[in-house]
Amino acid sequence: MTGDSDLLSDAAQGDASAYRALLERHVAAVHALAYRLLADRAEAEDVVQESFAALWQALGGSGKPAPPDHNAAAWLKRVARNRSLDRLRRRARWRGDEDGLDTMVDQKPSAENAHADAETGEIVRAAIEALPDRQRVALTLVHFEEMAQKEVADALGISVDALESLLARARRTLKSRLIAEKESIL
Amino acid sequence: MSNPMTQARYQALIAAYGADPLRWPDDERAAAQSFQAAQMASADPALEEAVALDTLLSTADVPPLSFEKMVALQKQARPGLLVRLRRFFEWQGPLWQPAGALTAALMFGAVLGLADPDTAAAISAMTGLEEISVTVPDADLDFDPFGEDGL
């Protein structure tokens, strides 16, 4: 299988098949990141489209940002993460109280309501989506993306201690919703 | 220099990052793992709950990209106009190929034009030159400049 280096080089030379190969290779991971951060399907799809458009522009020699030369996934995810955070920061509840237990957003069907016929994955996904934005972002970047704590804290503009506090609250909230249903969903 | 691992700090790591040491801070991982190994004889409810939650989190799925958006992305996945023009002008093949094709097309058009008496007369009137005409022998009416006898 051709590595990203070869595909990126071919795409920079105008090889249309390389563009499509890069898209197919990375679209799922970029979408998963955007969706977990935003918990909104339409916004996540817009971010995916913006991220790949940025890559195509960079490969076309737009100048800024410089295109990746070997790791397209990391480049795309960085763009997707930044654009997702920009959108989140514009939300009113991003600036509000992030204490999960008292102000947990519940715009999606609750785990209880969706439980009967929903698969475990959907129930867990719904519980994550219902977390306050900051907690969900912290959990997504540390747990699902396995980013370093300092890098996540910097991306959120908070200290590592504050990040750990967000993570602990997120996990506590999820535990209270999911572990209690463990027997019924497993 | 990092502080020695304590029970409180170990529990805080589990509470924030879960049971997988790979998610613990790089500079505390080794100390936390040593601390954990020393504790293995005793039950750790917090660790067990963290393992259970990590397992559940690993099942969280993501809905697929919509068909419409995937189609839009595929349409978008192509070199831009500037890249395509650059690729065209950086032709790496033999130069005689595009040049020869262009020349042949021009000559073919000129022959067709001059074979028409009206065209030849018009050219002569405009240029003042003696009228030039090209007579195409009947046998060559099927002449194909790009075929076996062509350029």
Side-chain angles (χ1 to χ4, degrees):
Chain A
M1 186 172 71
T2 307
D4 274 2
S5 299
D6 289 344
L7 286 177
L8 290 166
S9 175
D10 291 346
Q13 298 299 318
D15 184 345
S17 66
Y19 279 68
R20 289 190 294 274
L22 285 167
L23 174 68
E24 287 167 18
R25 182 176 290 185
H26 299 299
V27 68
V30 175
H31 176 244
L33 170 62
Y35 184 85
R36 286 191 170 119
L37 289 174
L38 292 162
D40 183 294
R41 190 168 189 171
E43 284 206 274
E45 292 192 344
D46 286 346
V47 166
V48 171
Q49 188 159 20
E50 290 169 16
S51 301
F52 278 95
L55 178 61
W56 307 148
Q57 278 189 331
L59 288 169
S62 65
K64 292 180 181 179
D69 56 7
H70 67 284
N71 192 339
W75 194 97
L76 284 163
K77 282 188 171 185
R78 187 167 61 248
V79 173
R81 183 180 72 235
N82 291 340
R83 287 178 187 255
S84 297
L85 288 176
D86 287 344
R87 287 171 178 255
L88 285 167
R89 289 188 182 103
R90 290 197 286 269
R91 290 183 184 178
R93 63 176 188 260
W94 179 264
R95 297 187 292 272
D97 181 14
E98 66 240 26
D99 189 321
L101 292 174
D102 294 337
T103 61
M104 190 160 68
V105 176
D106 197 10
Q107 295 176 356
K108 306 291 189 300
S110 69
E112 291 84 358
N113 295 336
H115 135 66
D117 298 319
E119 297 186 14
T120 302
E122 292 177 2
I123 295 173
V124 177
R125 189 217 317 165
I128 295 172
E129 288 174 3
L131 288 171
D133 286 347
R134 289 175 185 263
Q135 291 180 25
R136 188 181 63 254
V137 169
L139 185 76
T140 295
L141 295 180
V142 172
H143 184 89
F144 291 103
E145 297 298 316
E146 298 181 339
M147 286 174 58
Q149 294 78 10
K150 183 69 169 64
E151 192 179 355
V152 176
D154 289 346
L156 294 178
I158 59 178
S159 66
V160 172
D161 285 346
L163 172 65
E164 289 188 358
S165 177
L166 277 176
L167 289 169
R169 288 207 297 274
R171 292 182 65 90
R172 200 162 52 236
T173 303
L174 289 173
K175 188 176 67 177
S176 70
R177 297 194 74 175
L178 296 174
I179 300 295
E181 298 183 55
K182 182 178 175 184
E183 288 184 3
S184 60
I185 63 177
L186 289 178
Chain B
M1 184 166 70
S2 59
N3 297 324
M5 184 58 55
T6 64
Q7 179 70 24
R9 181 56 186 158
Y10 173 73
Q11 293 294 330
L13 288 176
I14 300 292
Y17 301 109
D20 188 349
L22 291 177
R23 294 194 177 90
W24 299 347
D26 291 340
D27 57 351
E28 295 182 89
R29 183 177 302 119
Q33 285 179 299
S34 297
F35 186 89
Q36 185 180 63
Q39 305 275 312
M40 285 304 284
S42 55
D44 188 344
L47 181 64
E48 290 171 5
E49 285 187 345
V51 170
L53 182 55
D54 286 348
T55 301
L56 284 174
L57 289 176
S58 69
T59 69
D61 59 4
V62 172
L65 208 60
S66 67
F67 175 76
E68 292 78 14
K69 184 57 68 175
M70 197 62 212
V71 168
L73 285 167
Q74 286 165 342
K75 284 184 182 175
Q76 184 187 34
R78 58 186 299 227
L81 176 61
L82 288 178
V83 176
R84 295 202 300 273
L85 284 175
R86 190 168 67 229
R87 188 177 169 92
F88 176 80
F89 286 113
E90 287 175 356
W91 177 265
Q92 296 296 324
L95 287 175
W96 62 262
Q97 286 178 352
L102 182 60
T103 303
L106 288 173
M107 288 185 62
F108 187 57
V111 165
L112 286 179
L114 291 173
D116 180 2
D118 291 336
T119 304
I123 292 174
S124 175
M126 281 192 300
T127 62
L129 295 173
E130 186 179 332
E131 186 172 316
I132 298 171
S133 66
V134 173
T135 304
V136 179
D138 289 344
D140 288 335
L141 284 175
D142 293 328
F143 174 71
D144 179 5
F146 302 106
E148 235 178 76
D149 297 322
L151 296 171

